[in-house]
Amino acid sequence: MRTLVLAVTSLLLSLPAFAQTQFTTRTVATDLVIPWEIELGPDGYMWLTERPGIFSKIDMSTGEKIVMLDRRDSVHAVAETGMMGFDWHPDYPDSPYVYVAMVYGFARPDYRVVNRYTVDTQNFEHDTLIDPFEIFRETPSSYSH
């Protein structure tokens, strides 16, 4: 038992050496409005949701923001609501779906949904999210997680 305690203590004391990696920072994008989820996409872009109802991806080298979905007309963004998280289908891009959680409606009762969108790569300007399909609905939603 003493050997195990010494081995674990030795490992824990060596952790700060691993944590001394040097990092550099740079600004990739500005003028984002409460980004709620940011993920490095399978295409090398930074994909993100913004609370008011914008789903975008950002070119990491140029900072160009490409709006893929704009639901500001129907997303209810108060307290902890709005356009929240997202995830890709496990077989993306073979199954070109993105799942997005958001709260809809400007009057009570509003409702929380998870919609599946298809990533349309045939758009000549840029990729867009099309064909929403409702997976889940909670009515009324709450204003917190």
Side-chain angles (χ1 to χ4, degrees):
M1 180 70 174
R2 180 181 171 132
T3 303
L4 176 62
V5 170
L6 288 174
V8 169
T9 303
S10 175
L11 177 64
L12 291 175
L13 291 174
S14 68
L15 286 178
F18 292 116
Q20 294 178 7
T21 303
Q22 295 296 314
F23 293 97
T24 58
T25 61
R26 70 180 173 94
T27 301
V28 175
T30 58
D31 300 323
L32 302 176
V33 181
I34 311 173
W36 277 42
E37 181 152 4
I38 302 172
E39 298 285 340
L40 182 60
D43 56 0
Y45 283 73
M46 182 173 68
W47 294 42
L48 65 127
T49 58
E50 294 175 72
R51 179 177 157 198
I54 302 288
F55 190 106
S56 305
K57 65 181 184 176
I58 296 176
D59 184 316
M60 300 280 283
S61 60
T62 67
E64 176 190 12
K65 179 180 176 181
I66 301 166
V67 175
M68 300 173 71
L69 179 67
D70 185 343
R71 295 309 316 257
R72 288 177 289 182
D73 63 338
S74 55
V75 166
H76 190 191
V78 298
E80 296 178 9
T81 69
M83 185 174 283
M84 296 172 283
F86 72 94
D87 205 353
W88 294 274
H89 188 281
D91 293 325
Y92 189 91
D94 293 329
S95 297
Y97 304 118
V98 175
Y99 301 88
V100 183
M102 61 192 95
V103 173
Y104 280 126
F106 293 103
R108 295 299 273 171
D110 54 6
Y111 54 98
R112 185 177 315 259
V113 298
V114 174
N115 285 335
R116 182 192 74 196
Y117 288 90
T118 301
V119 179
D120 179 11
T121 58
Q122 304 304 311
N123 184 316
F124 293 109
E125 292 183 31
H126 55 77
D127 296 349
T128 56
L129 300 183
I130 61 170
D131 301 330
F133 177 78
E134 190 173 288
I135 302 290
F136 168 83
R137 177 186 288 229
E138 174 191 28
T139 305
S141 72
S142 66
Y143 287 149
S144 65
H145 292 92

